[in-house]
Amino acid sequence: MARRPVIAGNWKMHNLQQEAIDLTNGIMQAIREEEKSRLPEVIIAPTFTSLYAANKALKDCGCGKVRLAAQNCYFEEKGAFTGECSVQMLKDTGCEYIIIGHSERRQYFGETDEMVNKKAQAILQNGLIPIICCGESLEQREAGVTDYHIASQITKALRDISSSDAAKSIIAYEPIWAIGTGKTCDSKEANRVISMIRNVVKGLYDENTADSIRILYGGSVKPETIKEQMAQSDIDGALVGGASLKVDSFSQIIKGAM
Ligand code: PGA
């Protein structure tokens, strides 16, 4: 089955509103000549305070080539949860995707597998798509428990999620030691882990679901690495951090995935 590639930019805690507008416009300008049907699904994930501004820039352009994601959400609908944003609030701001379980959220903000699962369910119930992150630390890799750890993260994240919801979800495999370090995971090794993840999905559901779910690689993705990553059998795209903050590098990555 042909899975449509995805290139998603995780802006993390960067960009004031005007910077977000400029970057959004810059990306759209850089891909304006490309036919929409040939482009990967391009997603940008600004921080909460820039979502409205970025969404307005996307709407004003009207080309429909770039979609909006949030970097986090809370799973409850509303209520006394100071500082949190519900899925409905993010949907109301134009988000179609929400990144959950990023290693930085797990590490600094105590996000657990159970929370990732609750967030995934809330996102899918509201008709949005979760981008579920997983990945091992250097210590786990050196201890030889990478596959066990990733399989456990994915199994817990997908608990009580139907096969049709799982099929439209996106997973991002991001080895923690490769994030923001400039050290990209070898493409063949990333592909090996990603096919292992696909196999876990097959075990939880069936072959169709495993064939449909898109699994991205993340961790120091650059214009120079994208072609080789995309050439792998199971890598369906990239979740890009640092290189998504510049029009040049992000648009080169998008074009490298075509
Ligand atoms: P990086 O970040 O591309 O800067 O390594 C990736 C991510 O954290 O999603």
Side-chain angles (χ1 to χ4, degrees):
M1 180 190 291
R3 295 179 294 265
R4 183 161 185 220
V6 177
I7 298 295
N10 173 10
W11 294 1
K12 309 195 179 186
M13 201 171 75
H14 292 285
N15 291 333
L16 301 178
Q17 292 188 64
Q18 191 54 50
E19 292 166 320
I21 294 169
D22 293 344
L23 181 52
T24 305
N25 285 332
I27 294 163
M28 289 189 296
Q29 182 70 10
I31 57 171
R32 75 182 184 289
E33 305 283 343
E34 310 295 341
E35 253 176 68
K36 196 175 162 193
S37 59
R38 290 193 56 235
L39 279 167
E41 217 161 289
V42 180
I43 302 171
I44 53 170
T47 193
F48 284 147
T49 53
S50 292
L51 285 172
Y52 179 84
N55 187 47
K56 188 167 180 312
L58 294 177
K59 277 204 196 135
D60 289 348
C61 163
C63 68
K65 289 178 179 170
V66 179
R67 318 218 151 254
L68 197 64
Q71 299 171 16
N72 180 32
C73 66
Y74 194 53
F75 46 80
E76 295 287 353
E77 248 174 58
K78 58 172 97 156
F81 303 104
T82 302
E84 293 297 316
C85 268
S86 73
V87 175
Q88 279 171 317
M89 289 165 182
L90 296 167
K91 188 176 180 177
D92 188 42
T93 317
C95 291
E96 294 175 90
Y97 306 80
I98 303 179
I99 299 171
I100 53 175
H102 190 281
S103 62
E104 285 148 20
R105 295 220 53 88
R106 294 180 192 257
Q107 194 179 338
Y108 307 132
F109 305 101
E111 193 157 316
T112 62
D113 288 326
E114 289 67 32
M115 286 159 79
V116 172
N117 175 245
K118 284 186 182 170
K119 289 179 183 193
Q121 293 195 41
I123 292 166
L124 288 157
Q125 274 156 18
N126 282 283
L128 276 70
I129 296 175
I131 301 177
I132 305 165
C133 301
C134 61
E136 82 286 1
S137 64
L138 190 57
E139 294 70 45
Q140 287 168 323
R141 176 156 282 266
E142 284 171 350
V145 297
T146 297
D147 292 14
Y148 170 81
H149 174 70
I150 306 279
S152 155
Q153 283 186 322
I154 293 305
T155 304
K156 290 176 181 160
L158 293 175
R159 214 178 123 204
D160 294 331
I161 287 174
S162 69
S163 59
S164 60
D165 276 347
K168 55 177 110 110
S169 299
I170 297 174
I171 292 175
Y173 167 58
E174 300 201 304
I176 300 172
W177 47 271
I179 296 178
T181 57
K183 265 192 258 164
T184 323
C185 177
D186 175 73
S187 299
K188 293 212 165 43
E189 171 58 12
N191 192 57
R192 187 195 66 77
V193 177
I194 287 177
S195 18
M196 185 277 298
I197 296 172
R198 209 175 290 290
N199 226 14
V200 170
V201 174
K202 186 174 159 191
L204 293 171
Y205 301 96
D206 49 42
E207 186 132 21
N208 255 346
T209 313
D211 273 350
S212 307
I213 195 165
R214 286 171 300 170
I215 313 180
L216 319 182
Y217 166 76
S220 298
V221 173
K222 310 174 206 54
E224 308 84 68
T225 64
I226 190 68
K227 281 247 182 269
E228 190 184 313
Q229 286 153 345
M230 293 308 294
Q232 307 301 314
S233 58
D234 279 273
I235 302 183
D236 299 320
L239 180 55
V240 188
S244 73
L245 293 170
K246 294 264 176 309
V247 171
D248 263 10
S249 44
F250 194 56
S251 56
Q252 280 177 49
I253 291 171
I254 296 169
K255 290 176 189 175
M258 288 175 70

